[in-house]
Amino acid sequence: MGLAVECNALVKDFGDVRALDGLSFQVKNGEIYGLIGPNGAGKTTALRIVSTLLLPTSGSVKVFGQDVVDDASEIRRVISYLPEEAGAYKNLSGYEYLEFMAKFTTEDKEVIKESVDVAARISGLEERLKDKVKTYSKGMKRRLLVARALMTKPKLAVLDEPTSGLDVLHSVHVRGLIKQYVENQGVTVLLSSHNMLEVEHLCDRVALIDKGKIVAEGSPAELKKSVNASNLEEVFAKVVGFV
Amino acid sequence: MFKGLFNIIVKEVKELVRDPKILLGMIIVPLIMFPLMGFAIQTSMETAEESMRSISIAVMDLDEGPVAENLTNFLIALNVIIVEVDYLNFTEAVNYVQQLNVTGLVVIPSGFSNNITEGLKAELDVYTVFRGGGIVESTSSSMISALFETFEEGLVVQKVGEKFPETRETVLNPIEMSEKSIIKGKPVNVNPSVLFGLMVLQSTGMPVGIMMLLIFAMQLAATSVASEKEEKTLETLLTLPINRFTILAGKLTGSIVVAVIGAAAYIVGFNYYMSSFMGMMPTEIGVDLATIGLAPTPISYLLLGVSLFVSLLSALALAISISIFAEDVRGAQALVGPLSMLLVFPMIIMMFTDVYALPFPLMIVLLAIPFTHPMLASKVAFTGDYLTAVIGIAYVSIFTIVVLYIAARLFGTEKILTAKLKFRKLRFRKLKK
Ligand SMILES: Nc1ncnc2c1ncn2[C@@H]1O[C@H](COP(=O)(O)OP(=O)(O)OP(=O)(O)O)[C@@H](O)[C@H]1O
Ligand SMILES: [Mg+2]
C-alpha cells in the first residue's frame, strides 16, 4: 500500500506565530485519516499546505509522491479540498455551481452529468438545486460543498471539518457517504474535526495535534488503550493535559 | 486550458450580471437617470423660452416725446406686454412692479426725445426685477437689454442714413471679413469657431465616455476578485486543477464583457440625454468633415479602438492587483476608488489644454498615466498624428503587461490568502510606535 500523504517535519510560520512546529504524519492509500486538536492547533494550516494553498516554511509534504511546492499543479489534479469556512457562488443555482466545478476535472459531457447526479444524491438537496445558492441555509450550503468535494471521485479528499454546521441527521448521512465512498471508489480522505464521536466512527487512524505538533497517533482503539480511556474525548483531555 | 478559461468567463458574467447592485448600476443610471436628466433640462429650457416669449415691461414715461412713443410702439410690435406707470412716482412704480410680476422697469426721463433729435446723448434707466435669480431670469434680463440695443441700432441706422443716403451700408460695415482655417497644413473655407465647437464636443464627450467605461470596468473587476474572498469561494477556486493565470484572465475577460454591455447601455442613455439638447443647437453646421480631412479615418478609428482596449486592460489589471488586498467587496471598491483620480486628472487637463503645452514635469506625470493615452488617441482625427497614438499604445501595453505580471504573481502565491493579514499587521505596528 502506497502513501497518499507524507508530511515531514513541517513548520509553518505566520510572521511571529508558529502555526506548525515540526508536524509529521503519513496517510496511507485508501484510509480515512483524521486530525483532531484544540482551536488554533494548526489543523487548518496543515490541510491548506497539503492542498497547495499555503507554502511550508520548512519541512516537506508529498501527496502521492509529488511535492506540494514543486508539483502543485499535478497535485491539484488529483485532490479536492473542502475548506473549513467555504461558500458557493451565490448568484448561481446549485446545479450551475456543481456543473461549473465538474467542468474543471473533465471535458466529457457524460462524466460531468454523472458527477452532478452523484452530487445531487450526496447533498440530498433534490429540487432545491434549481434555486440560487443565496437562498440556501447554512447546512444546505455545507451539503452542497461536501457533495462537490466528493462528486469528482478525487484520489484524495481533504475535508476541513466536513460536518460543521450540519444537524445530527445530516451529519450521520454525510459520514455514511464518506465511509461508503472510501470503500467503493478507493478515495483517500484526510479530514479534521472537533467531533470525537465522528472521528471515532469514521477514521481508520487519527492524529492528536496540539500547538502545531503531534501529541498522539494511532487508531481510535489503540489510542484509547494506550492512555486507558473509555472514549476519544477522554484521550484528548489526558494527552493535552487538562484533566 | 481554454475550456477552463471559457468556463470561468461564463461564470463571471453570470455572477456579475445577476448581482442586483451591478444590474442597478447598469440599468438605472444609463437608461433611467440620463433620460430623466435630459427631461429635466429640456423642461426647464422650455419654461425659460416660454417666459421669454411673455416678457412684460413697466414703462414710466416722464418724457412723453415722439422718440419715447416710438420706443413703446417698438416694444409692443415685438409682443412685449407694456404696463404704463407714468402717473406714479418712482417708489410707487417700484412697488407696483414688484406686485405685478413684471420682468423689467424702464424709466424714460424727460428730455429723452429732445436729446436724441438734437444729437445729444440721451439717458435711459432699465431695471430688471430680481426674484429667484434662476436661469429663466438671467435670460429674460439679457432679452430686455437685447430689445433696447435693437432699438438703439435702429436709431443709428436711421441717423447714418440721414447723413449718407447713398453709402449707408459701407459706412456701417466698412470691412467684410471672412474667417477661414488652416488644418493639417491645408487652408479650408470653414469658420474656425465652427471647428472649435466640434473639437469641444469631441474633447469633452470622448474623455467623459472613456472615463465612465473605465471606472465601471474597474469596479466590476474589483468586485469579481473581492467577492471570491467575501463569499469564501477563493480557497476552493485556488485548489482546482487550473492555472491561476487563467483564473485571472477569466476575471478580466468577464469584467470586460459586462463592462461592454454596460457601456452600450450608457451610450444609449447618453445619446438620449444629448438629443434633448439638440433642439437648442444649430443642427446643420454645413461642413462636410470628410472633405476637409477631419472625419476619423479607418486608421484613426483602429488606433483609438486599440488604445482604448489596452488601457481598459491596464485599468482592470490595476483594479485586480489592488483588490487582492481587500477582504470584501466594499473594501475593494474603496481601494479602487482613488484610482479613478488617475482618470479624472488627465481628463480635466486634456479638456482645457494640450498636454504638450504643459510644463515638462507635469507633462511627464500626465504621460505616465496610462489613461491619458486613449484621450490623446481620440484627438488623432484632428491632428493626423498617428505616431503619438502608436507610441501611446506601446507604452500602455508595456504598462499593462507589467501590472498583469505583478497581479498574476500575487495570484500565484499564498499572498492572495494572507496579504490582508499582513496589511493589518503593518498598520498595527505603526500604531504601536
Ligand atoms: N493567515 C494567517 N495569518 C496569521 N496567522 C494565522 C493564519 N492562519 C492561521 N494562523 C495562526 O496559526 C495557528 C493555527 O491556526 P489554524 O487555523 O491552523 O488552527 P485550527 O487547528 O484549524 O483551529 P480551529 O479548530 O479553530 O479551526 C493559529 O494560532 C492562527 O492564529
Ligand atoms: Mg481550523
Side-chain angles (χ1 to χ4, degrees), chain B residues 36-318:
Chain B
L36 272 184
M37 265 162 68
F39 178 74
I41 291 173
Q42 206 173 9
T43 338
S44 57
M45 286 299 174
E46 272 167 16
T47 330
E49 251 172 55
E50 195 89 322
S51 61
M52 267 192 266
R53 260 182 250 121
S54 61
I55 255 180
S56 55
I57 299 174
V59 180
M60 186 169 175
D61 188 359
L62 307 176
D63 174 62
E64 297 182 328
V67 185
E69 202 186 321
N70 271 351
L71 175 56
T72 318
N73 289 338
F74 167 81
L75 291 177
I76 291 170
L78 286 176
N79 281 331
V80 177
I81 300 160
I82 297 294
V83 184
E84 296 195 10
V85 290
D86 36 70
Y87 54 87
L88 303 169
N89 72 32
F90 184 66
T91 325
E92 282 170 329
V94 168
N95 276 335
Y96 187 70
V97 161
Q98 188 69 31
Q99 280 160 21
L100 265 193
N101 225 357
V102 179
T103 327
L105 167 68
V106 186
V107 181
I108 309 175
S110 62
F112 176 78
S113 299
N114 211 31
N115 279 345
I116 285 179
T117 35
E118 294 292 315
L120 298 171
K121 248 198 196 308
E123 277 171 21
L124 194 65
D125 292 337
V126 182
Y127 297 87
T128 297
V129 184
F130 268 82
R131 291 205 165 82
I135 287 189
V136 178
E137 274 175 28
S138 96
T139 44
S140 48
S141 153
S142 46
M143 264 299 277
I144 293 180
S145 46
L147 283 174
F148 290 100
E149 271 157 30
T150 314
F151 181 74
E152 190 185 17
E153 262 168 45
L155 285 180
V156 172
V157 170
Q158 189 193 338
K159 291 226 166 190
V160 170
E162 281 164 15
K163 282 247 159 121
F164 308 95
E166 309 289 298
T167 54
R168 188 173 71 181
E169 263 313 300
T170 45
V171 172
L172 282 171
N173 268 323
I175 294 175
E176 178 77 47
M177 184 168 70
S178 97
E179 290 183 82
K180 300 174 189 182
S181 321
I182 294 181
I183 297 161
K184 293 182 193 171
K186 268 180 280 171
V188 281
N189 195 4
V190 178
N191 192 318
S193 59
V194 172
L195 292 181
F196 282 128
L198 275 174
M199 286 176 88
V200 165
L201 259 186
Q202 180 121 347
S203 64
T204 54
M206 271 308 279
V208 169
I210 292 172
M211 191 183 72
M212 289 199 309
L213 177 66
L214 288 183
I215 290 180
F216 190 54
M218 274 163 39
Q219 293 290 354
L220 287 179
T223 304
S224 91
V225 172
S227 74
E228 298 273 359
K229 276 197 182 181
E230 190 172 303
E231 303 297 326
K232 307 250 182 324
T233 48
L234 183 64
E235 278 184 71
T236 313
L237 191 65
L238 294 180
T239 54
L240 293 175
I242 182 166
N243 189 318
R244 289 179 182 189
F245 194 82
T246 310
I247 299 176
L248 185 66
K251 289 199 170 290
L252 271 179
T253 319
S255 310
I256 290 176
V257 170
V258 178
V260 167
I261 299 173
Y266 265 88
I267 288 169
V268 171
F270 196 70
N271 257 345
Y272 187 90
Y273 170 68
M274 285 308 282
S275 68
S276 357
F277 299 108
M278 280 315 164
M280 292 140 30
M281 288 180 187
T283 40
E284 273 301 311
I285 43 164
V287 185
D288 184 2
L289 289 176
T291 54
I292 57 172
L294 277 189
T297 58
I299 296 178
S300 62
Y301 264 129
L302 183 75
L303 287 176
L304 180 57
V306 174
S307 178
L308 258 179
F309 186 71
V310 289
S311 53
L312 182 63
L313 283 184
S314 75
L316 293 179
L318 271 178

